[in-house]
Amino acid sequence: MSEARSTPVIRLTIDRQPHVAAQGATARQVLAAAGVTDAVAVRANQEEGLRDLSWLPTDGDRIESIPVATEEGRAVLRHSTAHVMAQAVTDLFPGTKWAIGPPIENGFYYDFDVERPFTAEDVERIEARMRAIVASRQRFKRRVVSADEARALFADQPYKLEVIEAATAGSVDDDEAVDAGPGTEITVYDNSVNTHVAWSDLCRGPHVPDTAHIPAFRLLRTAAAYWRGSERNPQLQRIYGTAWESEEALEEHLRLLAEAERRDHRRLGTELDLFSFPSEIGGGLAVWHPKGGIVRRVMEEYSRRRHEEAGYSFVVTPHITKAALLETSGHLQWYSQGMYPPMEMEGVRYYPKPMNCPFHILIYKSRGRSYRELPLRLFEFGTVYRFEKSGVLHGLTRARGFTQDDSHIFCTPDQLEGELTTLLQFVLDLLRDFGLTEFEAELATRPDKFVGEPDDWDDATQALRAALEATGVAYVLAEGEGAFYAPKIDVHVRDAIGRRWQMSTLQVDFQFPGRFDLEYQAADGSRPRPRMIHRALFGSIERFFGILLEHYAGALPAWLSPVQVTCIPIAERHVGYLAGVADQLRAAGLRVDVDTSDERMQKKIVRAQHEKVPFMLIAGDRDVAAEAVSFRYRSGEEKRGVPVGDALAEILQVVESRA
RNA sequence: GCCGGAGUAGCUCAGUGGCAGAGCAAUCGCCUCGUAAGCGAUAGGUCGCGGGUUCAAUCCCCGCCUCCGGCUCCA
């Protein structure tokens, strides 16, 4: 730097490279001098929080630039865009009270207390106003204020006052922390053009330097949300939006949203004639049509076989039970709001079951158990009923009646760790067989409110951790997120378009063995309590099916497809030949249709393509003469003149490999 | 459950205060065809349900039901 001669200099590290800068230079200036132009914020000295580009580094600071095209950078961008949105709302709806407006995955929101909910037209006007604000190149300027100054500034903003009080008391939650840093200092960001302050918000920051750094955004939808997330609090009007580092990135995100809509399992369920939710039966209660029923049966059969190979014992239990069982288990005390109400017969109350565990425990208890029998692995496709609030139902992934692939494993304390390890490996292997390959696990530890002995918790948590380490699956610690009766591993999967779904859960239970007074006879004649592991692998068949359907966009792999092969005659005279081919394929266990409709071949191809059938076998004169068929694959590729035996072998190979 | 939105043919959706429409699907007929939609005809509706306003309501108003987007909750 040329001015270094007359100005005191400071030594900095910028993105691990040493640099010299003039004292008093902003982070933005030193980054620019170092050739870094894509940053929206910086991290200083490996601190957790980020700083504005207007921050003044001092000698010896290590600076990490945060480019906009990173998750942290986008969060800064989205947070700033949320401010612009709040400013636009304030411009258009004077008197609006602001709550909070944090960045979230893929976007941002801001909650407002307004006279009436926003309409679609309001949102258009807000977005237009935002574009004007962005075009005016407003700056985001940070200033530190005292708690009293903040109270005065936001005297007419009751939600901000609450955040200020929470911040000064040091008790903010994560979302609110975005608006005011805990305890330390209270900061305000002024949005200004030249010296004119257009709008100010209580905010921890950081923010982009000015609105020229907001290249692409879109408002997406409005919704109601409770203040501080509690249904006892007033409902606020929330606007969701998204912001990206470029128009291209925004377009790509919008394309992904459209893709997700296209893959919606509820839409595919109707289009492919798999299942439906007749309103005559009631919300959240599915009926499975023949084609959906085939897929479900194949899934269950495969799972059953794998469980048998892994040493599980199949059990069957009823759908309803007397209240007493659920009193012993504690469900009536803890879970009654999630249960269907009881029905009374001969003066006794019976409940539809919300979970299978108490029933499996009674099987364990049906006679004395020896350590020689352990681990005892009970498995059931157990159908349960839970009364979900009407607003939360969502196709097959959130239903009121569903079938869990539920198992309960009873083992000795010594067996626990080994059992968990093989169990987790089993879970991951089976998910892979269904084509899900990206896993992320969470180890959820003891919550503030818990039952049992801390030592037991530590042992069980350690066993779960050992299982995670042994299988090598990536996991994060979810401190305090365990169930009140047990630590657990939750396995999440990423689907084909990157969405995260919670799938399997493994829990080590401290409650039930004691509540039901379970025991086994040990080799030394003592009668210790067994350990108990709860495990749902798919979670529920319905939910898993829905996720698979979205993962594959309806084009299920051949082994799961309801129709694996559609035979298409080119002309009516080829029907008889293809009927013979179809018989051969069926004899080999394949699910085959022959399209005998009075349509042209092209039309039949369209239909089979819409039905997402993996293999079309087409036959005309040339194929008949050669005792061959012609393939058309789901991809649109084709292969002509394949001898029937070869075609059968090829299809069987794909089906059996579950590819 | 709460806030907002939407309900028109099996599906996707137009439409208007004055006899209810399209495409696809379905049925029937003609065509017999070599890799993404052949031609014609027919049928299909209490315009979610109930009430109100009006000479007249699918349309405007009110209530309810169902679904959708969120919130809370959750497999």
Side-chain angles (χ1 to χ4, degrees):
Chain A
M1 279 190 180
S2 58
E3 66 271 26
R5 191 191 308 259
S6 54
T7 317
V9 296
I10 54 176
R11 287 166 204 288
L12 302 169
T13 308
I14 298 175
D15 294 335
R16 298 170 187 274
Q17 299 297 316
H19 282 272
V20 175
Q23 196 166 42
T26 63
R28 189 180 195 177
Q29 287 165 331
V30 303
L31 287 180
V36 178
T37 55
D38 61 348
V40 286
V42 293
R43 166 169 286 117
N45 306 316
Q46 299 182 309
E47 292 166 350
E48 194 179 330
L50 301 181
R51 292 172 181 270
D52 288 312
L53 293 182
S54 60
W55 167 65
L56 301 177
T58 55
D59 192 44
D61 281 336
R62 282 165 300 153
I63 299 174
E64 178 195 343
S65 68
I66 306 296
V68 65
T70 61
E71 274 317 297
E72 285 186 301
R74 290 187 193 107
V76 172
L77 162 66
R78 288 163 185 163
H79 190 189
S80 298
T81 313
H83 272 229
V84 171
M85 180 169 79
Q87 181 182 346
V89 168
T90 309
D91 288 351
L92 295 171
F93 303 91
T96 297
K97 306 284 187 267
W98 323 312
I100 58 171
I104 54 175
E105 188 176 4
N106 291 326
F108 62 86
Y109 67 80
Y110 211 115
D111 286 344
F112 305 100
D113 188 347
V114 282
E115 286 290 314
R116 58 164 179 83
F118 297 112
T119 64
E121 294 73 38
D122 292 338
V123 173
E124 277 177 35
R125 288 171 61 214
I126 292 164
E127 193 172 297
R129 178 73 198 129
M130 288 172 70
R131 298 203 185 282
I133 292 169
V134 167
S136 74
R137 292 196 70 135
Q138 284 192 16
R139 281 175 297 149
F140 286 83
K141 196 148 186 292
R142 178 179 190 269
R143 74 189 144 106
V144 178
V145 298
S146 70
D148 283 340
E149 283 176 288
R151 289 187 194 103
L153 272 168
F154 298 100
D156 59 346
Q157 290 289 343
Y159 302 102
K160 293 297 177 192
L161 290 176
E162 269 194 56
V163 174
I164 292 166
E165 295 320 311
T168 51
S171 65
V172 284
D173 70 24
D174 281 352
D175 282 349
E176 290 166 2
V178 169
D179 279 35
T184 54
E185 54 186 16
I186 297 176
T187 54
V188 169
Y189 277 80
D190 296 318
N191 286 18
S192 53
V193 182
N194 299 322
T195 55
H196 170 67
V197 176
W199 194 71
S200 300
D201 196 3
L202 181 74
C203 187
R204 183 180 59 173
H207 280 286
V208 298
D210 63 63
T211 55
H213 286 77
I214 300 179
F217 72 90
R218 184 75 57 88
L219 300 189
L220 295 176
R221 64 171 64 91
T222 59
Y226 299 105
W227 168 236
R228 303 187 125 189
S230 167
E231 54 191 334
R232 292 186 304 277
N233 287 339
Q235 274 200 330
L236 305 170
Q237 293 304 313
R238 174 172 296 182
I239 304 177
Y240 283 97
T242 189
W244 294 83
E245 65 272 16
S246 66
E247 279 294 338
E248 295 72 39
L250 172 65
E251 288 303 321
E252 173 60 19
H253 177 65
L254 296 177
R255 197 193 59 75
L256 200 70
L257 292 182
E259 177 66 20
E261 198 176 320
R262 194 177 72 78
R263 288 169 178 253
D264 190 315
H265 74 276
R266 295 165 301 180
R267 168 199 292 258
L268 291 168
T270 304
E271 283 176 7
L272 301 177
D273 197 14
L274 301 172
F275 56 84
S276 60
F277 290 90
S279 59
E280 293 88 337
I281 298 176
L285 298 166
V287 291
W288 292 72
H289 300 191
K291 284 183 178 169
I294 288 172
V295 183
R296 183 177 170 143
R297 198 201 71 220
V298 172
M299 289 169 62
E300 289 180 355
E301 277 175 0
Y302 182 70
S303 170
R304 181 174 287 132
R305 203 187 86 217
R306 290 295 305 270
H307 276 84
E308 277 165 353
E309 288 166 3
Y312 284 77
S313 307
F314 275 73
V315 298
V316 177
T317 66
H319 290 204
I320 62 173
T321 174
K322 288 199 287 193
L325 177 64
L326 300 174
E327 277 160 13
T328 304
S329 69
H331 282 98
L332 281 176
Q333 295 91 301
W334 305 322
Y335 202 74
S336 56
Q337 81 289 346
M339 289 166 51
Y340 273 87
M343 56 200 111
E344 197 168 307
M345 300 187 296
E346 297 179 338
V348 181
R349 283 181 302 141
Y350 287 81
Y351 284 90
K353 69 173 168 183
M355 294 188 193
N356 300 303
C357 2
F359 297 75
H360 292 183
I361 287 170
L362 293 183
I363 293 171
Y364 181 91
K365 264 178 79 93
S366 63
R367 60 172 169 79
R369 296 290 174 181
S370 157
Y371 73 98
R372 295 173 188 275
E373 294 181 75
L374 304 185
L376 179 64
R377 308 181 184 100
L378 303 183
F379 179 94
E380 177 178 20
F381 288 117
T383 302
V384 297
Y385 295 91
R386 300 183 186 173
F387 197 83
E388 303 284 357
K389 290 192 252 180
S390 59
V392 309
L393 299 175
H394 186 89
L396 293 175
T397 59
R398 193 74 185 276
R400 284 181 174 154
F402 54 94
T403 302
Q404 295 183 306
D405 60 331
D406 208 359
S407 86
H408 295 92
I409 299 171
F410 304 88
C411 65
T412 70
D414 287 349
Q415 292 168 334
L416 184 64
E417 185 173 319
E419 192 62 22
L420 284 169
T421 302
T422 51
L423 178 54
L424 183 58
Q425 191 61 53
F426 178 69
V427 165
L428 297 177
D429 287 347
L430 203 58
L431 291 175
R432 278 193 196 96
D433 287 342
F434 281 91
L436 299 166
T437 53
E438 285 188 62
F439 307 115
E440 295 163 23
E442 275 179 13
L443 175 58
T445 61
R446 194 176 70 216
D448 293 338
K449 283 171 64 178
F450 67 98
V451 296
E453 297 303 316
D455 281 353
D456 287 340
W457 275 86
D458 292 345
D459 289 352
T461 307
Q462 184 47 44
L464 288 169
R465 185 190 301 272
L468 286 163
E469 300 286 350
T471 53
V473 63
Y475 72 97
V476 294
L477 208 58
E479 205 82 57
E481 297 286 312
F484 70 94
Y485 59 87
K488 60 176 180 173
I489 294 172
D490 286 331
V491 178
H492 297 77
V493 300
R494 294 267 174 192
D495 73 6
I497 57 172
R499 293 174 300 176
R500 194 165 186 259
W501 301 88
Q502 194 196 319
M503 194 65 59
S504 314
T505 180
L506 283 67
Q507 304 176 352
V508 180
D509 184 351
F510 299 125
Q511 266 294 313
F512 286 150
R515 291 184 81 93
F516 283 92
D517 196 24
L518 301 186
E519 58 180 33
Y520 63 93
Q521 180 138 26
D524 63 3
S526 65
R527 295 183 176 276
R529 285 221 194 291
R531 297 292 201 187
M532 183 173 166
I533 303 168
H534 298 248
R535 187 236 64 179
L537 197 158
F538 296 152
S540 84
I541 311 275
E542 287 79 0
R543 181 180 149 82
F544 188 68
F545 180 91
I547 291 167
L548 275 186
L549 207 51
E550 301 207 3
H551 176 64
Y552 288 114
L556 293 167
W559 72 289
L560 290 171
S561 283
V563 178
Q564 297 170 314
V565 183
T566 295
C567 296
I568 297 179
I570 284 174
E572 203 173 339
R573 63 180 176 277
H574 310 121
V575 168
Y577 172 75
L578 277 178
V581 172
D583 283 343
Q584 285 183 57
L585 301 186
R586 288 194 194 104
L590 295 171
R591 299 184 287 274
V592 187
D593 278 352
V594 182
D595 189 341
T596 56
S597 66
D598 194 14
E599 299 287 353
R600 297 179 66 211
M601 172 204 58
Q602 285 86 342
K603 181 70 168 287
K604 296 179 183 182
I605 288 172
V606 170
R607 178 157 43 205
Q609 199 84 39
H610 282 163
E611 289 172 5
K612 302 182 193 293
V613 177
F615 299 102
M616 295 176 218
L617 290 185
I618 297 170
D621 292 336
R622 293 199 283 280
D623 296 289
V624 173
E627 289 186 33
V629 288
S630 295
F631 273 101
R632 182 186 167 97
Y633 302 95
R634 208 145 48 181
S635 66
E637 290 172 68
E638 53 185 276
K639 186 157 71 181
R640 302 198 186 195
V642 181
V644 173
D646 293 359
L648 173 61
E650 176 176 336
I651 295 167
L652 280 179
Q653 192 277 324
V654 173
V655 168
E656 281 161 11
S657 70
R658 292 186 305 275

